Amino acid sequence: MGFADPGAKWLASMAVLGLLLTGCSPPAKAPAPEPKRADRRSTVATWSVDCQDPTETEPALLWNGLIGLRISRTATAGDPALPMFLVSEYDREGEEKIRALPNPLRVEWTIGDHTLGRGQLTNYRQTLDLKTGILDTRWREKNLHVECETVLDPAAAVVAQRWKVHSDLDAKAQVVSGLAGAGLDWRGPIAGTKAFFAHKLTGAASGAWAEENDAHVWRGTLDAGEQVIFDRVGSFGARASRASFEDLRRASVLAWQNKWATDIQIEGPDEDQQAIRSFLFYLRSSIHPFGGMSVAPCGLSNAQYAGHIFWDADVWVLPPLLFLDPKAARAIATYRLAKLPTAQANFAQWAKTRPTGKAPLGPLANPGSGAKFPWESSVTGRETVPGPSRFQDHISGSVLWSLERAAAAGLIPWSEVQKAGRLVAGFYQARTQNLGGKLQLNGTMSPDENHVGDNDLYTNLLAGHAVAKYGTTGRKSPLEAGRQDWLYLPQDQDGLLAYDNDRLRGYKQAAAVLSIFPLQYPEAEAQAEAMMARFEDKVTPNGPAMTDAIHATIWARAGKPQKAYEEWRRGWRDFTDLPLLLFSEKRRKAVAYFTTGAAGALQTVLYGFLGLRIDASKPTGAAWSTPLEGGYWLSAKANLPPAWKGVTIRGLRVGDRSLDLVATPSGVKVRESQPRPAR
């Protein structure tokens, strides 16, 4: 990665910033509680989110799965400059980290002797329109009126801005914008990436453009009472975009109009409606539009976790998108299928030095007979994490679990899932041990992430499912048929445990209760309330946001919707105390945007309050059900909180059908959607 001469110093500073932003593991101990800051969430408009305080430091975010831009309160790259991320720009060697790149939205307006953004901003408002994807920023400063619209191409790494500046007085003016087209040239590992910029300024009394010091510079004069309009388009790829600002604006409006043909509408508090739409907006726009990459926990918003792919994408982000945005969900599944050959190579490498244990490990047919998905995956699909997290052996089962749901929804062929299933089963058969006639899995890291030991409940259930369904014949999956005598599960006299020798003292995040949801293990579901009493209050208060969503979903399914609603509200309000309802990973630290947390909150709405279920056989007691692919079924049984009088999913996509699902306290009704052609 490098600039052609003039910007080399600036690029070097951005590289340093990228290193500073990169992080892997949170502290083992939560920091001391801090005083709760004043509530700074946006005004409640159900189709937009906004910020009215120009001093807020958490920048705005626009992304589309190909490009991610952090945008300052004044619609610029900020000072110091905020980073930009491209899905095409990862290191291919070592840990395969995503690169922090120069932000193309650098711009400086000087009118008279005043530089915009450095005085007192009044009448300030920055608004993200969820219906169109357009970020609108406007304010008044001295004798100037300023407005800027920022928009991304919905299917390309292209950003455009339109600035409108109105001066009450005649003034000389200068605009210094971005980087000259020839000055920015990356050579990424996936594809060579170049940057191109186009500029157009109209409405000024006089002026001309020049290229100086790697920037476009305009100098001229403004007449009092006249408005100057400045358009700029930056594109990143093999060729320059020929689209104008107006072209990109229309494309964004149309794309989002089509996406919002599927919407979740609630009869309840506007704040809840606004939050739900914001979660769906940010998730939909976080994922590669053509399936070339999955989504990292923070997507293309920052360098947290090096931009790597975790189980977050498979177990948290995919399920709420299965029937709301199947194209986005498919991208997650196709990424995993594309990396299956590398998962086989990972298995072959592991097989050379597989660990010894209390008994001989299972049979190893040959080095190509299994697939071991990495805990942290990137551009190649190799394992990139250097530490003990590589022992989170539930990841392979988690990937298989998500692929099954994608196939059930008709997004990928079942034949591909069968192939992946046989290979994942091969890994678990070679990884497990038969002790006392029971299959056991020792020396793994629990999804709790604070414990390495034997027989993690979640991991053993996934391993047992893979071995039974795709490996050894004659066995039944515990996830589909309940407890199996051949599979060891940790428990004591009071019920299931998170893992062997679990002292029930504390956990970083949800672990044992994952057997209730999302795994829907019958025995765990039967003792859901008892398990929640054992585990719920032992999770660290500053843990990741998705734990609250899991708890809320379980309580809703257990017939306690008010308790679930309180948990759900706390589980997203505490994490969205940021401008534009950006979702943070932590309660006391802004790490945004956290796709996993937003996806978890949506899961509670869909799989908790609406009671959606995906089962391997036709369920009993459901208010509504319909068959899926591969013998699976989708059903619904509403558990609405008292604050909601009804919920409608408009345009629920089930196979080739588009359905409207309406849930009220009296039941669930489903009808075929009326087609809504794009305008």
Side-chain angles (χ1 to χ4, degrees):
M1 173 176 75
F3 276 105
D5 299 334
K9 291 184 179 179
W10 192 65
L11 180 60
S13 66
M14 286 304 300
V16 172
L17 176 61
L19 292 173
L20 293 174
L21 288 173
T22 303
C24 292
S25 301
K29 186 176 181 180
E34 298 176 0
K36 180 68 174 177
R37 58 193 175 191
D39 193 342
R40 305 176 304 179
R41 65 190 73 252
S42 62
T43 55
V44 179
T46 61
W47 279 108
S48 64
V49 291
D50 67 16
C51 174
Q52 299 180 43
D53 182 356
T55 67
E56 285 284 5
T57 57
E58 184 66 23
L61 167 67
L62 287 180
W63 57 6
N64 63 8
L66 297 169
I67 182 174
L69 282 165
R70 302 310 297 266
I71 304 168
S72 76
R73 292 280 84 83
T74 54
T76 68
D79 185 16
L82 298 163
M84 175 184 73
F85 299 94
L86 295 173
V87 75
S88 59
E89 290 297 323
Y90 278 78
D91 292 330
R92 187 171 283 277
E93 302 299 328
E95 293 184 50
E96 300 181 12
K97 295 179 179 180
I98 196 168
R99 298 169 176 172
L101 303 172
N103 191 314
L105 299 185
R106 293 190 304 167
V107 66
E108 183 178 272
W109 290 76
T110 303
I111 301 175
D113 60 356
H114 179 71
T115 301
L116 280 185
R118 297 185 183 176
Q120 182 179 6
L121 310 188
T122 60
N123 298 331
Y124 178 86
R125 184 183 292 266
Q126 188 174 62
T127 303
L128 177 60
D129 188 335
L130 304 176
K131 265 191 174 181
T132 64
I134 297 170
L135 181 71
D136 182 87
T137 308
R138 57 184 67 196
W139 73 89
R140 182 175 174 84
E141 186 176 356
K142 288 194 172 183
N143 61 329
L144 303 168
H145 306 261
V146 184
E147 178 182 348
C148 179
E149 286 186 305
T150 308
V151 64
L152 295 183
D153 186 312
V158 180
V159 59
Q161 282 193 323
R162 168 165 287 175
W163 288 82
K164 297 178 181 178
V165 177
H166 174 106
S167 176
D168 294 337
L169 303 172
D170 291 343
K172 291 184 177 180
Q174 174 178 285
V175 180
V176 181
S177 174
L179 302 158
L184 190 59
D185 187 1
W186 295 293
R187 295 295 175 185
I190 300 177
T193 304
K194 294 184 178 181
F196 302 90
F197 297 89
H199 295 78
K200 177 183 177 183
L201 191 145
T202 58
S206 65
W209 284 103
E211 290 191 9
E212 300 177 6
N213 299 321
D214 203 30
H216 293 275
V217 180
W218 179 89
R219 293 185 180 90
T221 58
L222 308 182
D223 284 344
E226 296 298 319
Q227 185 180 71
V228 62
I229 299 176
F230 170 43
D231 289 356
R232 57 180 181 163
V233 176
S235 55
F236 306 88
R239 63 185 63 181
S241 172
R242 297 183 181 274
S244 66
F245 172 85
E246 283 295 343
D247 294 334
L248 294 171
R249 194 184 195 284
R250 283 192 294 269
S252 183
V253 170
L254 180 60
W256 280 105
Q257 180 178 306
N258 290 334
K259 285 181 180 293
W260 286 117
T262 300
D263 182 26
I264 301 174
Q265 302 168 340
I266 69 165
E267 294 181 59
D270 285 346
E271 186 184 20
D272 294 351
Q273 179 69 84
Q274 181 190 53
I276 290 169
R277 284 200 174 116
S278 79
F279 304 151
L280 191 48
F281 173 87
Y282 282 117
L283 283 183
R284 280 172 155 168
S285 53
S286 71
I287 297 175
H288 196 294
F290 311 115
M293 188 68 167
S294 187
V295 60
C298 292
L300 297 176
S301 67
N302 59 50
Q304 184 82 345
Y305 304 117
H308 291 166
I309 309 303
F310 293 74
W311 70 321
D312 302 51
D314 311 282
V315 176
W316 306 94
V317 179
L318 179 140
L321 295 177
L322 279 175
F323 308 107
L324 298 178
D325 198 327
K327 183 179 178 182
R330 182 185 292 114
I332 295 171
T334 55
Y335 168 82
R336 290 299 192 183
L337 291 176
K339 304 305 178 189
L340 185 58
T342 310
Q344 289 181 264
N346 294 340
F347 172 80
Q349 181 65 31
W350 168 86
K352 295 177 182 178
T353 58
R354 58 182 184 150
T356 58
K358 301 174 183 177
L361 289 170
L364 177 64
N366 60 70
S369 63
K372 187 179 188 301
F373 284 95
W375 176 241
E376 293 190 29
S377 184
S378 187
V379 291
T380 66
R382 297 192 296 260
E383 179 62 81
T384 61
V385 64
S389 289
R390 63 176 56 237
F391 299 116
Q392 295 207 49
D393 284 329
H394 66 79
I395 180 62
S396 296
S398 296
V399 169
L400 177 60
W401 179 92
S402 73
L403 292 176
E404 289 176 335
R405 272 130 196 85
L411 307 185
I412 57 174
W414 267 106
S415 59
E416 294 295 317
V417 179
Q418 293 285 344
K419 177 182 177 181
R422 289 191 294 270
L423 292 169
V424 170
F427 163 61
Y428 283 127
Q429 287 172 324
R431 176 69 175 83
T432 53
Q433 298 166 310
N434 191 320
L435 296 170
K438 291 183 180 290
L439 204 67
Q440 300 193 36
L441 219 166
N442 298 318
T444 67
M445 178 177 281
S446 167
D448 162 47
E449 295 188 355
N450 282 345
H451 176 82
V452 176
D454 298 342
N455 293 311
D456 172 73
L457 176 62
Y458 176 78
T459 307
N460 279 21
L461 284 170
L462 288 171
H465 172 72
V467 169
K469 194 163 185 175
Y470 302 97
T472 306
T473 59
R475 290 177 172 173
K476 294 181 179 180
S477 164
L479 299 184
E480 298 175 0
R483 180 175 284 274
Q484 301 296 305
D485 291 339
W486 53 268
L487 178 65
Y488 178 88
L489 297 177
Q491 62 182 334
D492 63 10
Q493 66 276 10
D494 296 318
L496 294 167
L497 294 171
Y499 36 73
D500 275 355
N501 302 313
D502 181 6
R503 299 182 180 181
L504 299 165
R505 289 182 176 176
Y507 313 91
K508 173 186 167 184
Q509 57 195 22
V513 298
L514 298 178
S515 61
I516 309 170
F517 181 84
L519 293 191
Q520 299 177 176
Y521 173 52
E523 183 177 344
E525 288 193 292
Q527 54 178 278
E529 291 193 44
M531 289 185 69
M532 290 294 285
R534 302 188 90 184
F535 300 107
E536 182 181 24
D537 63 353
K538 296 179 178 64
V539 179
T540 178
N542 197 34
M546 62 276 200
T547 291
D548 296 309
I550 287 293
H551 292 166
T553 304
I554 292 171
W555 283 123
R557 287 183 163 206
K560 297 186 181 298
Q562 179 57 33
K563 184 176 179 63
Y565 180 68
E566 293 168 0
E567 189 90 24
W568 176 74
R569 290 261 297 180
R570 183 170 58 252
W572 62 261
R573 292 186 95 253
D574 286 359
F575 296 90
T576 56
D577 186 22
L578 295 171
L580 307 180
L581 279 185
L582 291 171
F583 208 115
S584 177
E585 182 186 13
K586 299 290 186 177
R587 277 187 165 91
R588 302 185 184 97
K589 180 181 179 182
V591 183
Y593 189 89
F594 190 44
T595 62
T596 318
L602 277 180
Q603 289 214 42
T604 299
V605 175
L606 297 171
Y607 296 95
F609 298 140
L610 291 177
L612 293 184
R613 289 181 64 101
I614 300 174
D615 290 289
S617 58
K618 186 174 183 179
T620 59
W624 167 82
S625 63
T626 189
L628 299 174
E629 300 293 330
Y632 281 72
W633 285 76
L634 175 68
S635 63
K637 182 179 181 181
N639 309 288
L640 298 187
W644 294 4
K645 304 306 179 187
V647 179
T648 298
I649 302 183
R650 181 166 56 85
L652 188 75
R653 301 305 303 269
V654 182
D656 295 331
R657 293 180 295 161
S658 179
L659 307 174
D660 289 343
L661 185 152
V662 181
T664 65
S666 60
V668 174
K669 295 181 179 179
V670 178
R671 60 176 181 266
E672 295 287 333
S673 294
Q674 295 299 315
R676 295 174 174 84
R679 295 189 296 274

